[in-house]
Amino acid sequence: MSRRPSLSVAAVAVAAALALTACNANSDSDTAGQSTTSSTQKGGELTILTSSSTVTLDPAKSSNLAITTLGLFNRRLTSWEIEPGKTAQAVPDLATDTGTPSDDGKTWTYHLKSGLKFSDGSPITSQDVKYGVERSFAPELSGGLGYHKSLLEDGEKYQGPYTDGDLDSIETPDDTTIVFHLNVSYGDWPWIVSMPAFSPVPKSADAKPQEYGQHPVSSGPYQVDSYKEGSTLSLSRNPNWDQSTDEVRTAGPDKITFQLGQDDTVAAQKLIADSGDDKNAFQASFVPPAQLSQIQSNADAKSRLVTSDAGALAYLAINVKHKPLDDLKVRQALEYAVDKKAFQIAVGGSIGGEPATTLITPGIAGRQDYDLYPAGESGDVDKAKQLLADAGNPKLSLTLLVESDPVEVLKAQAIQQGLKRAGIEVTIKSEESDAWYADVTSDKGDYDLALASWQPDFPSANGNIQPLFASSEIGGGGFNLSRYSEPEVDDLIQQASAATDPAQAEKLWAQADKRILQDAPVVPLLFKKNSFLHGSNVQNFFVTPFPAYPNYLKVSLSK
Amino acid sequence: MRRTRFLAGRLVSMLAVLVVISLLTYAVFFLLPSDPAQMSCGKPCTPDGLAQASAFMGFDKPWWQQYLDFVAGIFRGRSFGRGPAAVHCSAPCFGYSFQLNQPVTQLIWARIPVTFSIAIGAAALWLVLGVSLGVLAAVRKGTAIDRSAMAFAVAGVSAPVYLLGLLGILLFGFTLDLVPVSGYVPLTESPVDWAWHLVLPWCVLALFTSAVYARLTRGQMLEVLEEDYIRTARAKGLTERKVVGWHALRNVLIPVVTVFGSDLGQLLGGAIITERVFSMQGLGSLLLQAVGTGDLPLVLGTVLFSAFLVVLANFAVDVVYGALDPRVSETSG
Amino acid sequence: MRTRRHPRQFLADRWAVAGGVVVAGFLLVAATASALTAVEGQDPYTYHLDALDDTGRPVGFGGGISGTHWFGVEPLTGRDLFAIVTHGAQTSLTVGLAATVIAMLIGVLVGVTAGFFGGWYDRLVSRAIDVLYGFPYLVFMIALGAVVSAKFPRTWLVVLVIGAFGWPTVARVVRGQTLALKHRTFVVASTAMGAGPGHVLVRQILPHLGVTIIVYTTILIPGLIGVEAALSFLGVGVPAPTPSWGRSIGEGVGWVQTDPMFLVFPGGALFAITLAFNLLGDGLRDLLDPRSVRRRPEAGARP
């Protein structure tokens, strides 16, 4: 807690939490496209093709988005309303509202709806919610989203119900009321309680906590039939779920099957072909660039491709702590030398994203468009060379750390060839994504450049700026990959976060945006677009600007 | 007696080999920069949380202590953490994957059917195909049959499995829409679907590998057909079919079995590329995934298991070799 | 004993000759790759975005085949495919040949000494070979890739790893042959006359292994070229942007319906060179050692 003073600022933690979950810095945003949105038809068997081979079913260990897999069978106090054309909102799920703050936002009270039942028919009580939160504190069940852990009073010391008994800062005065006592005032607590740890877990089903994830007790419209790691996750209807208590889930299909460990290219090709069961399927992973190109000349497949609006910022982080990148002139030279056009083509051209010159993403209130380093889309090599000459022509041989995914490596090469034009040598070092993530967020920071992207998961400029540029986010798991530390910027962030007047906040954020880029700690490359493909029977499949992922809770099948 | 001693000696050295492999794997992964605890630390990952996760998983101990714990776990089982939420991994415990929340043995166990289905089916196919082609070519030496069989063999061995596999998927999966392009259906669920999903990987692997066997068999056959005992058999007036089919083939099979055993052992330990190409989640993909996510216990477990299969296969080859080769059995009684 | 065949018989083996010619052709292309692409006016690293449409697909016939780009261009980058394939030959052959040299050196050295000296050393070697057979080198490659400094040239790292894991087959065979030679009259006689072990090894045994060494070299080269391609296909081999057929094939797969030539050129090149080496090797083997029992070198990344 002491390490993260900024946590007291409302939106920050949420933004970071969601960002880390959803995209691990590698995802995108926004929607133009969507399939037919119509009234939900019931029935059918939906298949979801995904490249990941594991699903963590224990809510304490999960870092799922509210609208994806776990949201289908785990209800939380709140959820997200994700509808085409509307801004994302926290909405009541198990609770009757999104929470009543008192004590200046340090105490939050929720009441459960009546008639809520688990899949085994027993009623859902506030104690079950409390127990679910408590068990997420056990070190044996770590790995999930844990932003609440440092916000709840005494949370730092508490190690879960198995050894430490009750957590006193969560009160359950009766079966339908739950009260949270926080360390600090926290206006965005309604977003926090939409996370998986705020799903109810009946204590009676938790005799063997490590095995709970194999047979989680369902509170949503579906229950887990079977889960085979690396193979399938099968869900069927939960007879004890009542539609009238649930505003966010439409529960169209009778069955939902996740096909795990699917190759992205093969999965996309299956969906392009759209035959047999694939008509009832969608791909949870992005469509690879080669298939995006293929789809452009296939009208049928094109009609089933859903692309988001330009959203997540793809950028090149420059490690300002490494010589000679500590020299502003050198970093500015990079701004000019980079070939954004080549980068854009590497992700599939204009369907993959639009060139960026700013930090705050389009669609966020208060965003100002500007270009501090006008160089055209392919860069200005002469200008870069001149800046390097001004800096005394340092010998530039830089290491670029990227994830070993083919698309990432291709993007890295686009950067490499762009910089080479100005005589800057770049060596690409690719690592498996988890190793990459550990390396870029570690205290050591042993790299010159890193390719990353950031999704403004929380619809506020705060989510764009603070996690990437606040000095508190350097190392130790933080995502300030440039290791950029500027008191003036920290100050601006502080002021903007504290500002209660939205107009005032917007102005401050726009100011911070520009101020940061004057120091050139990153090269903004692209506002990315996410593309997803679905079969011809899939309906109500849409991708909104936030969180730029399909809303699993609303997808249905036509008869 | 000598045979028993031979077997005992082989078993001891098998064990020694496995110990060395496990130590090597440990050493390699200990050098890696990424902290295995980081992946299970949760988000946000605070230094406190990281230390806690590390202590819980036992990654805070010195490497030799961790290794000893691992070895002890095989015999005694292991527990991580305390209280009812502790993780138990009963003996024989080959580690626990904290990323997948399962004991390594259980994860391997779940993947075995996939890899074994691929490997055994393909092996049977390539053995039959390769040996028949080889015998045919040898018996019809110098004819068009011989030449085309050998042309097939040299072409087959020159085409990388992934290229064949991908072309197979495109042609038979997408263009002709004959077979499923990916996925695995358990044998117990539907034997027909099981086989149908595996036809393509079997054929691709068999096409590639049978080429090697055809060449090997042909070479051996040609050699054996000139041996004295075959001449004797012919002189005794046995039919050519009997000569080739029994007397010669028996001797040809000796080197073939040697190669077959170790090939099969390798493949059973994980058909990395085939599994990748056909999106099948077997031991090979488990290993790739474990390496990719820095899941040390899982890497160690899968490497050890596949090494065990390879070593076991070599051991089995030695035993079978003794049984097949009259000369070996004569001397070793 | 059969008499050895005359070299003229090798020339009569049309397939082996064809293989030899193709191999020679590839060696020439690899050696002169830079000059060749200079004639074309291209190099394997420069992007040509103007040769692509908005989605990154090459414009024009056959993936953009033209006078300026003889094999067309690579999707998403516009890099010249002819330059990539010819420089890919360089990569393939460098890695294949260098790794073979390493594997042969270690294999012969270890095999000869193990067979000759026997005893505990021999047993140790046999167990070491078992360890290498059992250890998937893909794991080693990935781990080393992360550990070794980014400044260390990756191509040579690949060579070292492939070479270091490629020797056991050779060692096994050489050891067997050495064992047999040890008991042959001329060696026994030489030892009886007081020749030291060094002398016997170098003067008596090694020369008799010449055929085996040549034969195994011809088997290893295409095998190890394949290993490099497989590692690169899996994304852990020679790193981008150094051209590699294996990586191009991996990328080309996705494009096969929209730009098949992107798969055809590198895939065809890899198939052709492996086939040519195999044909040449078969011919040589028939010529030198018609009785050799062959064992395929272990494919590193398992099929």
Side-chain angles (χ1 to χ4, degrees):
Chain A
M1 192 59 211
S2 54
R3 285 191 63 264
R4 300 182 148 261
S6 54
L7 266 190
S8 56
V9 181
V12 172
V14 181
L18 303 179
L20 291 173
T21 6
C23 48
N24 188 7
N26 189 20
S27 25
D28 314 26
S29 122
D30 286 63
T31 303
Q34 69 191 60
S35 70
T36 34
T37 309
S38 53
S39 60
T40 301
Q41 296 194 39
K42 297 276 182 176
E45 298 187 9
L46 173 70
T47 303
I48 301 176
L49 306 168
T50 172
S51 56
S52 55
S53 67
T54 324
V55 185
T56 303
L57 295 175
D58 189 320
K61 297 182 188 178
S62 171
S63 52
N64 248 221
L65 291 174
I67 52 153
T68 57
T69 316
L70 259 69
L72 291 166
F73 51 88
N74 277 334
R75 297 182 65 177
R76 305 102 200 263
L77 286 176
T78 64
S79 184
W80 302 351
E81 186 183 64
I82 305 295
E83 292 270 14
K86 288 191 203 159
T87 324
Q89 267 189 323
V91 291
D93 190 356
L94 291 172
T96 52
D97 57 24
T98 57
T100 314
S102 54
D103 188 17
D104 198 21
K106 280 172 120 174
T107 302
W108 286 81
T109 306
Y110 291 85
H111 300 284
L112 300 190
K113 291 171 182 162
S114 60
L116 298 171
K117 282 181 192 159
F118 281 116
S119 49
D120 61 6
S122 58
I124 297 173
T125 67
S126 54
Q127 285 87 357
D128 298 324
V129 177
K130 174 176 163 110
Y131 185 71
V133 180
E134 283 173 347
R135 64 196 291 283
S136 72
F137 281 85
E140 290 85 357
L141 299 176
S142 61
L145 285 178
Y147 285 86
H148 56 283
K149 292 184 194 172
S150 51
L151 286 170
L152 282 164
E153 256 177 30
D154 298 325
E156 292 100 298
K157 277 170 274 157
Y158 184 64
Q159 302 237 335
Y162 311 108
T163 53
D164 292 6
D166 278 318
L167 177 61
D168 294 334
S169 53
I170 308 178
E171 282 180 300
T172 51
D174 60 55
D175 277 358
T176 59
T177 310
I178 185 162
V179 184
F180 299 96
H181 297 282
L182 312 186
N183 285 324
V184 288
S185 307
Y186 200 84
D188 279 298
W189 186 253
W191 287 93
I192 298 286
V193 298
S194 70
M195 293 183 186
F198 290 81
S199 317
V201 173
K203 198 169 183 173
S204 57
D206 196 34
K208 292 182 179 165
Q210 290 298 337
E211 285 168 28
Y212 179 76
Q214 286 155 39
H215 330 274
V217 181
S218 163
S219 49
Y222 297 93
Q223 55 192 4
V224 176
D225 272 357
S226 70
Y227 167 59
K228 290 192 207 94
E229 195 274 329
S231 170
T232 51
L233 166 65
S234 305
L235 308 180
S236 65
R237 284 199 188 281
N238 165 13
N240 285 304
W241 171 78
D242 181 0
Q243 172 82 73
S244 67
T245 64
D246 198 330
E247 298 140 46
V248 289
R249 297 171 185 81
T250 54
D254 287 337
K255 276 181 186 274
I256 300 179
T257 307
F258 290 79
Q259 301 277 5
L260 308 174
Q262 299 290 310
D263 181 77
D264 284 343
T265 299
V266 175
Q269 275 166 344
K270 274 160 83 167
L271 290 177
I272 292 173
D274 194 42
S275 67
D277 288 345
D278 297 332
K279 287 186 172 134
N280 300 327
F282 73 82
Q283 186 174 8
S285 324
F286 305 146
V287 179
Q291 276 60 54
L292 279 181
S293 175
Q294 187 180 342
I295 291 168
Q296 295 313 306
S297 47
N298 179 335
D300 171 50
K302 203 173 175 180
S303 72
R304 292 181 284 110
L305 184 75
V306 179
T307 301
S308 70
D309 286 333
L313 174 71
Y315 64 97
L316 178 71
I318 306 170
N319 188 341
V320 301
K321 295 264 158 70
H322 268 204
K323 278 188 189 311
L325 298 173
D326 54 343
D327 184 339
L328 175 61
K329 286 227 160 52
V330 175
R331 298 200 299 271
Q332 286 176 334
L334 295 183
E335 300 275 352
Y336 284 107
V338 159
D339 184 349
K340 292 179 188 174
K341 177 77 183 163
F343 188 87
Q344 184 186 28
I345 292 288
V347 296
S350 55
I351 197 166
E354 283 157 19
T357 58
T358 67
L359 300 173
I360 299 175
T361 47
I364 300 269
R367 171 179 185 269
Q368 286 177 13
D369 204 7
Y370 65 91
D371 190 353
L372 288 185
Y373 309 100
E377 54 181 9
S378 293
D380 185 340
V381 178
D382 293 335
K383 181 95 182 162
K385 280 184 177 159
Q386 199 204 317
L387 278 161
L388 286 177
D390 291 351
N393 276 322
K395 183 166 165 20
L396 283 170
S397 175
L398 307 174
T399 307
L400 170 56
L401 200 58
V402 291
E403 294 172 70
S404 58
D405 168 79
V407 178
E408 290 299 306
V409 173
L410 200 65
K411 290 197 264 188
Q413 292 175 65
I415 298 296
Q416 184 185 42
Q417 66 91 28
L419 297 183
K420 196 174 180 196
R421 299 175 305 173
I424 303 167
E425 289 297 330
V426 172
T427 308
I428 298 170
K429 184 172 184 189
S430 63
E431 297 184 332
E432 296 287 338
S433 62
D434 289 301
W436 176 87
Y437 187 79
D439 275 353
V440 292
T441 60
S442 75
D443 291 329
K444 268 200 303 189
D446 193 14
Y447 55 88
D448 298 312
L449 306 171
L451 256 190
S453 48
W454 189 257
Q455 149 109 340
D457 286 290
F458 185 69
S460 149
N462 195 339
N464 279 105
I465 305 287
Q466 194 275 344
L468 307 191
F469 302 104
S471 56
S472 59
E473 300 301 315
I474 300 174
F479 214 71
N480 184 341
L481 307 190
S482 307
R483 321 233 150 207
Y484 172 69
S485 165
E486 167 58 52
E488 200 184 319
V489 170
D490 281 342
D491 228 41
L492 272 171
I493 291 174
Q494 198 73 45
Q495 286 177 39
S497 307
T500 44
D501 171 21
Q504 171 72 5
E506 282 163 16
K507 218 180 110 200
L508 285 164
W509 285 124
Q511 199 182 329
D513 184 336
K514 228 176 198 164
R515 176 64 191 84
I516 292 164
L517 269 189
Q518 277 168 10
D519 286 335
V522 300
V523 183
L525 298 167
L526 212 65
F527 293 121
K528 299 206 302 175
K529 298 176 181 176
N530 284 358
S531 288
F532 299 90
L533 192 57
H534 63 81
S536 54
N537 289 344
V538 174
Q539 293 191 321
N540 295 303
F541 185 92
F542 50 83
V543 185
T544 58
F546 167 80
Y549 276 84
N551 185 352
Y552 293 14
L553 310 184
K554 304 252 182 189
V555 173
S556 66
L557 296 171
S558 67
K559 284 274 158 66
Chain B
M1 202 42 212
R2 274 180 66 179
R3 187 140 193 94
T4 328
R5 217 157 75 207
F6 165 76
L7 288 179
R10 283 302 313 240
L11 281 174
V12 169
S13 67
M14 263 172 72
L15 208 65
V17 166
L18 290 177
V19 168
V20 172
I21 288 179
S22 63
L23 272 170
L24 259 179
T25 316
Y26 232 88
V28 166
F29 267 77
F30 235 83
L31 292 173
L32 282 183
S34 54
D35 181 350
Q38 186 120 33
M39 318 297 175
S40 309
C41 168
K43 292 156 184 170
C45 179
T46 59
D48 278 355
L50 189 64
Q52 235 174 39
S54 197
F56 157 55
M57 295 183 264
F59 289 130
D60 56 338
K61 297 180 186 161
W63 71 270
W64 53 269
Q65 180 72 50
Q66 289 189 38
Y67 185 76
L68 289 181
D69 285 351
F70 168 77
V71 174
I74 298 174
F75 302 100
R76 293 203 309 244
R78 292 179 79 174
S79 287
F80 303 88
R82 52 210 175 94
V87 174
H88 296 291
C89 171
S90 50
C93 174
F94 284 89
Y96 187 90
S97 164
F98 294 98
Q99 289 181 45
L100 303 181
N101 305 313
Q102 281 180 53
V104 169
T105 37
Q106 204 174 315
L107 287 163
I108 290 177
W109 197 245
R111 301 287 186 112
I112 282 178
V114 180
T115 299
F116 278 33
S117 297
I118 298 176
I120 294 173
L125 202 57
W126 87 53
L127 190 63
V128 172
L129 195 67
V131 170
S132 343
L133 266 181
V135 170
L136 198 65
V139 173
R140 300 268 181 272
K141 190 186 174 213
T143 65
I145 295 179
D146 180 21
R147 278 198 298 275
S148 31
M150 286 306 104
F152 161 80
V154 76
V157 81
S158 303
V161 158
Y162 48 92
L163 200 54
L164 280 180
L166 296 164
L167 293 177
I169 290 180
L170 270 172
L171 184 61
F172 298 106
F174 286 113
T175 312
L176 299 176
D177 202 9
L178 280 175
V179 291
V181 293
S182 64
Y184 171 81
V185 177
L187 178 63
T188 47
E189 213 167 88
S190 159
V192 176
D193 271 357
W194 169 78
W196 202 226
H197 276 80
L198 283 162
V199 163
L200 210 48
W202 283 343
C203 290
V204 165
L205 266 176
L207 195 64
F208 174 72
T209 319
S210 63
V212 181
Y213 285 73
R215 277 151 59 118
L216 183 64
T217 308
R218 177 177 177 273
Q220 283 296 309
M221 197 71 180
L222 287 178
E223 214 166 287
V224 166
L225 285 177
E226 292 192 9
E227 299 269 356
D228 290 343
Y229 65 94
I230 296 291
R231 296 210 181 115
T232 317
R234 279 195 176 126
K236 276 201 277 186
L238 290 179
T239 60
E240 189 65 17
R241 175 181 293 219
K242 270 200 174 144
V243 171
V244 174
W246 178 238
H247 287 81
L249 198 56
R250 186 176 142 104
N251 285 288
V252 166
L253 281 181
I254 294 167
V256 171
V257 162
T258 317
V259 180
F260 181 73
S262 90
D263 277 355
L264 184 62
Q266 287 264 340
L267 202 56
L268 287 175
I272 291 176
I273 292 181
T274 313
E275 288 172 21
R276 162 87 165 247
V277 168
F278 292 97
S279 294
M280 290 191 170
Q281 302 294 316
L283 292 165
S285 354
L286 189 66
L287 176 63
L288 268 190
Q289 181 189 342
V291 173
T293 55
D295 193 340
L296 174 60
L298 191 53
V299 173
L300 191 59
T302 37
V303 167
L304 256 188
F305 182 70
S306 61
F308 170 71
L309 289 173
V310 171
V311 175
L312 189 71
N314 287 339
F315 175 71
V317 163
D318 284 352
V319 175
V320 174
Y321 198 87
L324 265 182
D325 191 336
R327 282 162 299 188
V328 174
S329 34
E330 268 162 35
T331 50
S332 58
Chain C
M1 274 303 274
R2 242 162 283 185
T3 49
R4 292 218 172 135
R5 288 198 239 169
H6 194 269
R8 198 170 287 162
Q9 277 174 290
F10 177 79
L11 290 178
D13 185 345
R14 277 172 299 161
W15 286 109
V17 173
V21 170
V22 173
V23 166
F26 270 107
L27 281 171
L28 191 70
V29 165
T32 60
S34 300
L36 273 178
T37 44
V39 171
E40 190 203 15
Q42 301 295 342
D43 69 79
Y45 303 110
T46 306
Y47 277 43
H48 300 280
L49 299 179
D50 47 342
L52 307 173
D53 70 7
D54 176 60
T55 66
R57 188 201 304 205
V59 182
F61 162 78
I65 293 177
S66 68
T68 35
H69 300 291
W70 298 347
F71 284 4
V73 295
E74 186 182 60
L76 301 180
T77 67
R79 288 183 291 209
D80 185 72
L81 196 53
F82 177 74
I84 288 178
V85 172
T86 50
H87 284 77
Q90 215 168 41
T91 308
S92 256
L93 285 165
T94 310
V95 174
L97 295 177
T100 302
V101 168
I102 294 178
M104 289 306 298
L105 277 179
I106 305 180
V108 170
L109 194 71
V110 171
V112 160
T113 48
F116 188 74
F117 295 112
W120 63 268
Y121 173 69
D122 183 27
R123 283 198 293 278
L124 190 73
V125 165
S126 302
R127 293 297 81 79
I129 289 174
D130 285 346
V131 167
L132 283 182
Y133 273 143
F135 195 86
Y137 54 103
L138 194 70
V139 172
F140 210 75
M141 193 64 233
I142 293 176
L144 273 189
V147 173
V148 176
S149 151
K151 304 287 179 212
F152 188 88
R154 288 293 122 145
T155 309
W156 292 104
L157 189 67
V158 175
V159 167
L160 285 178
V161 172
I162 297 180
F165 278 84
W167 61 265
T169 320
V170 181
R172 231 176 219 189
V173 173
V174 169
R175 173 182 168 273
Q177 300 239 328
T178 310
L179 270 178
L181 285 170
K182 211 165 91 173
H183 301 294
R184 294 273 284 277
T185 341
F186 63 93
V187 176
V188 176
S190 182
T191 316
M193 274 153 56
H199 177 85
V200 174
L201 263 184
V202 176
R203 290 296 168 88
Q204 312 275 3
I205 294 187
L206 266 185
H208 282 88
L209 292 172
V211 169
T212 311
I213 292 174
I214 293 175
V215 165
Y216 269 82
T217 307
T218 64
I219 303 178
L220 266 184
I221 295 172
L224 298 190
I225 285 179
V227 172
E228 182 275 316
L231 286 176
S232 297
F233 171 79
L234 289 172
V236 295
V238 178
T242 309
S244 159
W245 293 339
R247 195 179 54 253
S248 291
I249 291 170
E251 285 165 4
V253 172
W255 290 91
V256 75
Q257 274 147 341
T258 34
D259 179 14
M261 297 322 265
F262 183 37
L263 183 63
V264 167
F265 285 116
L270 178 61
F271 179 67
I273 202 166
T274 319
L275 185 63
F277 265 114
N278 280 330
L279 289 171
L280 177 66
D282 276 4
L284 271 179
R285 243 167 286 155
D286 288 347
L287 183 73
L288 295 171
D289 180 24
R291 292 173 65 97
S292 69
V293 174
R294 298 149 209 155
R295 199 173 188 297
R296 176 174 50 127
E298 303 300 318
R302 295 172 192 145

